[in-house]
Short mmCIF file of all heavy atoms in Angstrom, two decimals:
data_model
loop_
_atom_site.label_atom_id
_atom_site.label_comp_id
_atom_site.label_asym_id
_atom_site.label_seq_id
_atom_site.Cartn_x
_atom_site.Cartn_y
_atom_site.Cartn_z
N ILE A 33 105.67 94.19 109.43
CA ILE A 33 104.78 94.68 108.37
C ILE A 33 103.93 93.52 107.83
O ILE A 33 102.75 93.68 107.56
CB ILE A 33 105.60 95.35 107.23
CG1 ILE A 33 106.29 96.64 107.73
CG2 ILE A 33 104.74 95.64 106.01
CD1 ILE A 33 105.34 97.75 108.16
N ARG A 34 104.56 92.34 107.68
CA ARG A 34 103.81 91.17 107.20
C ARG A 34 102.68 90.82 108.16
O ARG A 34 101.58 90.46 107.76
CB ARG A 34 104.74 89.99 106.99
CG ARG A 34 105.41 90.00 105.62
CD ARG A 34 106.18 88.74 105.33
NE ARG A 34 107.43 88.69 106.09
CZ ARG A 34 108.55 89.31 105.72
NH1 ARG A 34 108.58 90.01 104.59
NH2 ARG A 34 109.63 89.24 106.46
N LYS A 35 102.95 90.95 109.47
CA LYS A 35 101.91 90.68 110.49
C LYS A 35 100.80 91.72 110.37
O LYS A 35 99.61 91.39 110.43
CB LYS A 35 102.57 90.71 111.87
CG LYS A 35 101.61 90.73 113.05
CD LYS A 35 101.22 89.32 113.45
CE LYS A 35 100.54 89.26 114.81
NZ LYS A 35 99.11 89.55 114.77
N LEU A 36 101.19 92.98 110.16
CA LEU A 36 100.20 94.05 110.00
C LEU A 36 99.31 93.75 108.79
O LEU A 36 98.08 93.85 108.88
CB LEU A 36 100.92 95.40 109.82
CG LEU A 36 100.04 96.61 109.44
CD1 LEU A 36 99.04 96.96 110.54
CD2 LEU A 36 100.89 97.82 109.09
N ILE A 37 99.94 93.37 107.68
CA ILE A 37 99.17 93.07 106.45
C ILE A 37 98.18 91.93 106.72
O ILE A 37 97.01 92.03 106.38
CB ILE A 37 100.13 92.70 105.28
CG1 ILE A 37 100.89 93.95 104.81
CG2 ILE A 37 99.36 92.06 104.12
CD1 ILE A 37 102.00 93.69 103.82
N SER A 38 98.67 90.88 107.35
CA SER A 38 97.83 89.72 107.61
C SER A 38 96.65 90.09 108.54
O SER A 38 95.51 89.68 108.32
CB SER A 38 98.71 88.60 108.17
OG SER A 38 98.01 87.81 109.06
N ASP A 39 96.93 90.90 109.56
CA ASP A 39 95.86 91.35 110.45
C ASP A 39 94.88 92.27 109.72
O ASP A 39 93.67 92.23 109.97
CB ASP A 39 96.45 92.09 111.66
CG ASP A 39 97.18 91.17 112.62
OD1 ASP A 39 97.04 89.94 112.48
OD2 ASP A 39 97.89 91.68 113.51
N MET A 40 95.40 93.10 108.81
CA MET A 40 94.52 93.99 108.05
C MET A 40 93.60 93.19 107.14
O MET A 40 92.42 93.53 106.99
CB MET A 40 95.36 94.98 107.23
CG MET A 40 95.93 96.13 108.05
SD MET A 40 97.12 97.13 107.11
CE MET A 40 96.10 97.75 105.77
N VAL A 41 94.13 92.13 106.55
CA VAL A 41 93.28 91.28 105.69
C VAL A 41 92.19 90.63 106.52
O VAL A 41 91.00 90.65 106.15
CB VAL A 41 94.16 90.21 104.95
CG1 VAL A 41 93.28 89.19 104.25
CG2 VAL A 41 95.10 90.88 103.95
N ASP A 42 92.56 90.09 107.68
CA ASP A 42 91.56 89.49 108.59
C ASP A 42 90.49 90.52 108.98
O ASP A 42 89.30 90.20 108.99
CB ASP A 42 92.24 89.00 109.88
CG ASP A 42 93.13 87.80 109.65
OD1 ASP A 42 93.00 87.15 108.61
OD2 ASP A 42 93.98 87.51 110.54
N THR A 43 90.94 91.73 109.27
CA THR A 43 90.03 92.78 109.71
C THR A 43 89.09 93.20 108.58
O THR A 43 87.88 93.40 108.80
CB THR A 43 90.83 94.00 110.22
OG1 THR A 43 91.76 93.55 111.23
CG2 THR A 43 89.93 95.06 110.81
N MET A 44 89.65 93.28 107.36
CA MET A 44 88.82 93.63 106.20
C MET A 44 87.72 92.59 105.99
O MET A 44 86.53 92.94 105.86
CB MET A 44 89.71 93.73 104.95
CG MET A 44 88.95 93.85 103.64
SD MET A 44 90.04 94.13 102.21
CE MET A 44 90.86 92.54 102.06
N TYR A 45 88.10 91.32 105.99
CA TYR A 45 87.11 90.26 105.77
C TYR A 45 86.10 90.20 106.91
O TYR A 45 84.89 90.01 106.67
CB TYR A 45 87.80 88.90 105.61
CG TYR A 45 88.60 88.76 104.32
CD1 TYR A 45 89.77 87.98 104.29
CD2 TYR A 45 88.20 89.39 103.15
CE1 TYR A 45 90.50 87.84 103.11
CE2 TYR A 45 88.93 89.27 101.98
CZ TYR A 45 90.07 88.49 101.96
OH TYR A 45 90.79 88.36 100.80
N ALA A 46 86.55 90.35 108.16
CA ALA A 46 85.64 90.29 109.30
C ALA A 46 84.57 91.37 109.24
O ALA A 46 83.47 91.20 109.75
CB ALA A 46 86.44 90.42 110.61
N ASN A 47 84.92 92.50 108.58
CA ASN A 47 83.98 93.61 108.46
C ASN A 47 83.29 93.67 107.10
O ASN A 47 82.61 94.64 106.79
CB ASN A 47 84.70 94.94 108.73
CG ASN A 47 85.04 95.13 110.18
OD1 ASN A 47 84.21 95.53 110.99
ND2 ASN A 47 86.26 94.79 110.57
N GLU A 48 83.49 92.61 106.31
CA GLU A 48 82.93 92.53 104.97
C GLU A 48 83.27 93.77 104.14
O GLU A 48 82.45 94.27 103.37
CB GLU A 48 81.41 92.32 105.05
CG GLU A 48 81.09 90.91 105.53
CD GLU A 48 79.61 90.71 105.81
OE1 GLU A 48 78.80 91.58 105.46
OE2 GLU A 48 79.28 89.65 106.35
N GLY A 49 84.50 94.24 104.32
CA GLY A 49 84.98 95.36 103.53
C GLY A 49 85.66 94.85 102.26
O GLY A 49 85.99 93.68 102.14
N VAL A 50 85.88 95.76 101.33
CA VAL A 50 86.59 95.40 100.09
C VAL A 50 87.95 96.08 100.03
O VAL A 50 88.68 95.93 99.07
CB VAL A 50 85.77 95.75 98.81
CG1 VAL A 50 84.62 94.78 98.65
CG2 VAL A 50 85.27 97.19 98.84
N GLY A 51 88.29 96.80 101.09
CA GLY A 51 89.61 97.43 101.17
C GLY A 51 89.85 97.98 102.54
O GLY A 51 88.90 98.22 103.30
N LEU A 52 91.12 98.12 102.89
CA LEU A 52 91.47 98.68 104.20
C LEU A 52 92.88 99.28 104.10
O LEU A 52 93.74 98.74 103.42
CB LEU A 52 91.45 97.56 105.26
CG LEU A 52 91.34 98.01 106.72
CD1 LEU A 52 89.95 98.60 107.02
CD2 LEU A 52 91.59 96.82 107.66
N ALA A 53 93.07 100.40 104.80
CA ALA A 53 94.38 101.02 104.84
C ALA A 53 94.85 101.08 106.29
O ALA A 53 94.02 101.16 107.22
CB ALA A 53 94.29 102.45 104.28
N ALA A 54 96.17 100.99 106.51
CA ALA A 54 96.71 100.90 107.88
C ALA A 54 96.21 102.01 108.80
O ALA A 54 95.95 101.74 109.98
CB ALA A 54 98.23 100.85 107.82
N PRO A 55 96.09 103.26 108.34
CA PRO A 55 95.60 104.30 109.26
C PRO A 55 94.23 103.96 109.86
O PRO A 55 93.89 104.41 110.95
CB PRO A 55 95.51 105.54 108.37
CG PRO A 55 96.53 105.31 107.31
CD PRO A 55 96.49 103.83 107.03
N GLN A 56 93.44 103.15 109.17
CA GLN A 56 92.11 102.78 109.68
C GLN A 56 92.19 101.86 110.90
O GLN A 56 91.22 101.72 111.63
CB GLN A 56 91.30 102.08 108.58
CG GLN A 56 90.93 102.99 107.45
CD GLN A 56 90.03 102.28 106.47
OE1 GLN A 56 90.49 101.61 105.56
NE2 GLN A 56 88.72 102.39 106.67
N VAL A 57 93.35 101.21 111.09
CA VAL A 57 93.53 100.38 112.29
C VAL A 57 94.52 101.08 113.24
O VAL A 57 95.14 100.44 114.10
CB VAL A 57 93.96 98.93 111.97
CG1 VAL A 57 92.83 98.20 111.26
CG2 VAL A 57 95.21 98.88 111.11
N GLY A 58 94.67 102.38 113.06
CA GLY A 58 95.46 103.19 113.99
C GLY A 58 96.95 103.15 113.75
O GLY A 58 97.73 103.58 114.60
N VAL A 59 97.37 102.62 112.59
CA VAL A 59 98.79 102.52 112.28
C VAL A 59 99.11 103.50 111.14
O VAL A 59 98.62 103.32 110.01
CB VAL A 59 99.18 101.08 111.87
CG1 VAL A 59 100.67 101.00 111.54
CG2 VAL A 59 98.83 100.10 112.98
N SER A 60 99.94 104.49 111.42
CA SER A 60 100.23 105.51 110.42
C SER A 60 101.35 105.07 109.47
O SER A 60 102.44 105.64 109.46
CB SER A 60 100.58 106.82 111.10
OG SER A 60 100.52 107.88 110.17
N LYS A 61 101.07 104.03 108.71
CA LYS A 61 102.03 103.49 107.75
C LYS A 61 101.35 103.36 106.39
O LYS A 61 100.14 103.14 106.32
CB LYS A 61 102.50 102.09 108.18
CG LYS A 61 103.25 102.08 109.48
CD LYS A 61 104.73 101.92 109.25
CE LYS A 61 105.48 101.84 110.55
NZ LYS A 61 106.53 102.83 110.66
N ARG A 62 102.15 103.43 105.32
CA ARG A 62 101.59 103.38 103.97
C ARG A 62 101.43 101.93 103.52
O ARG A 62 102.24 101.38 102.79
CB ARG A 62 102.47 104.20 103.00
CG ARG A 62 102.65 105.63 103.47
CD ARG A 62 103.45 106.47 102.51
NE ARG A 62 102.71 106.86 101.33
CZ ARG A 62 101.80 107.81 101.29
NH1 ARG A 62 101.50 108.49 102.37
NH2 ARG A 62 101.18 108.09 100.18
N VAL A 63 100.35 101.32 104.01
CA VAL A 63 100.03 99.92 103.69
C VAL A 63 98.54 99.83 103.37
O VAL A 63 97.72 100.37 104.12
CB VAL A 63 100.36 98.98 104.88
CG1 VAL A 63 99.98 97.54 104.55
CG2 VAL A 63 101.83 99.07 105.27
N ILE A 64 98.21 99.16 102.25
CA ILE A 64 96.80 98.97 101.89
C ILE A 64 96.53 97.50 101.51
O ILE A 64 97.43 96.81 101.04
CB ILE A 64 96.35 99.88 100.70
CG1 ILE A 64 97.13 99.56 99.42
CG2 ILE A 64 96.54 101.35 101.06
CD1 ILE A 64 96.54 100.24 98.17
N VAL A 65 95.31 97.06 101.75
CA VAL A 65 94.86 95.76 101.27
C VAL A 65 93.52 95.97 100.57
O VAL A 65 92.71 96.78 101.01
CB VAL A 65 94.73 94.71 102.41
CG1 VAL A 65 96.09 94.47 103.08
CG2 VAL A 65 93.72 95.12 103.46
N VAL A 66 93.34 95.27 99.47
CA VAL A 66 92.13 95.43 98.65
C VAL A 66 91.70 94.06 98.13
O VAL A 66 92.53 93.28 97.66
CB VAL A 66 92.41 96.38 97.45
CG1 VAL A 66 91.26 96.35 96.45
CG2 VAL A 66 92.64 97.82 97.93
N ASP A 67 90.39 93.78 98.25
CA ASP A 67 89.85 92.56 97.65
C ASP A 67 88.43 92.86 97.17
O ASP A 67 87.49 92.86 97.96
CB ASP A 67 89.86 91.42 98.65
CG ASP A 67 89.54 90.08 98.00
OD1 ASP A 67 89.04 90.08 96.85
OD2 ASP A 67 89.78 89.03 98.62
N VAL A 68 88.29 93.10 95.88
CA VAL A 68 86.96 93.44 95.33
C VAL A 68 86.33 92.25 94.62
O VAL A 68 85.42 92.43 93.80
CB VAL A 68 87.03 94.67 94.37
CG1 VAL A 68 87.50 95.91 95.11
CG2 VAL A 68 87.91 94.41 93.16
N ARG A 69 86.79 91.03 94.95
CA ARG A 69 86.22 89.85 94.28
C ARG A 69 84.71 89.74 94.38
O ARG A 69 84.08 89.23 93.45
CB ARG A 69 86.91 88.57 94.75
CG ARG A 69 88.21 88.33 94.00
CD ARG A 69 88.95 87.13 94.49
NE ARG A 69 89.50 87.36 95.82
CZ ARG A 69 90.27 86.48 96.45
NH1 ARG A 69 90.58 85.35 95.89
NH2 ARG A 69 90.74 86.77 97.65
N PRO A 70 84.08 90.21 95.49
CA PRO A 70 82.60 90.15 95.52
C PRO A 70 81.97 90.94 94.37
O PRO A 70 80.86 90.64 93.96
CB PRO A 70 82.25 90.76 96.86
CG PRO A 70 83.46 90.58 97.72
CD PRO A 70 84.63 90.67 96.77
N TYR A 71 82.66 91.94 93.86
CA TYR A 71 82.14 92.75 92.74
C TYR A 71 82.75 92.38 91.41
O TYR A 71 82.15 92.58 90.37
CB TYR A 71 82.41 94.24 92.99
CG TYR A 71 81.72 94.81 94.19
CD1 TYR A 71 82.34 94.81 95.44
CD2 TYR A 71 80.43 95.32 94.07
CE1 TYR A 71 81.68 95.32 96.56
CE2 TYR A 71 79.77 95.83 95.17
CZ TYR A 71 80.42 95.82 96.42
OH TYR A 71 79.77 96.32 97.51
N ASP A 72 83.98 91.89 91.45
CA ASP A 72 84.70 91.59 90.22
C ASP A 72 85.57 90.34 90.41
O ASP A 72 86.70 90.42 90.89
CB ASP A 72 85.58 92.80 89.84
CG ASP A 72 86.30 92.61 88.51
OD1 ASP A 72 86.23 91.49 87.95
OD2 ASP A 72 86.92 93.58 88.04
N PRO A 73 84.99 89.17 90.06
CA PRO A 73 85.67 87.89 90.32
C PRO A 73 86.97 87.73 89.53
O PRO A 73 87.76 86.82 89.82
CB PRO A 73 84.64 86.84 89.88
CG PRO A 73 83.35 87.57 89.74
CD PRO A 73 83.68 88.98 89.44
N SER A 74 87.22 88.61 88.54
CA SER A 74 88.44 88.47 87.75
C SER A 74 89.65 89.06 88.48
O SER A 74 90.78 88.97 88.01
CB SER A 74 88.27 89.18 86.40
OG SER A 74 88.31 90.57 86.57
N THR A 75 89.42 89.67 89.65
CA THR A 75 90.52 90.29 90.39
C THR A 75 91.03 89.34 91.48
O THR A 75 90.56 88.21 91.59
CB THR A 75 90.04 91.60 91.06
OG1 THR A 75 88.96 91.30 91.95
CG2 THR A 75 89.56 92.60 90.02
N SER A 76 92.01 89.79 92.26
CA SER A 76 92.48 88.97 93.38
C SER A 76 92.83 89.88 94.55
O SER A 76 92.75 91.10 94.46
CB SER A 76 93.70 88.16 92.94
OG SER A 76 94.68 89.01 92.41
N LEU A 77 93.22 89.27 95.65
CA LEU A 77 93.62 90.03 96.83
C LEU A 77 94.90 90.80 96.53
O LEU A 77 95.86 90.23 96.03
CB LEU A 77 93.84 89.08 98.02
CG LEU A 77 94.48 89.69 99.28
CD1 LEU A 77 93.57 90.73 99.93
CD2 LEU A 77 94.83 88.60 100.28
#
Side-chain angles (χ1 to χ4, degrees):
I33 293 296
R34 275 188 285 279
K35 168 87 167 83
L36 171 65
I37 289 172
S38 148
D39 290 348
M40 282 171 62
V41 171
D42 290 343
T43 306
M44 170 174 69
Y45 291 147
N47 287 278
E48 289 172 9
V50 287
L52 199 69
Q56 293 185 273
V57 292
V59 179
S60 195
K61 296 256 182 236
R62 305 183 75 77
V63 178
I64 62 169
V65 299
V66 169
D67 190 345
V68 298
R69 276 177 290 185
Y71 296 91
D72 184 352
S74 74
T75 60
S76 54
L77 170 66

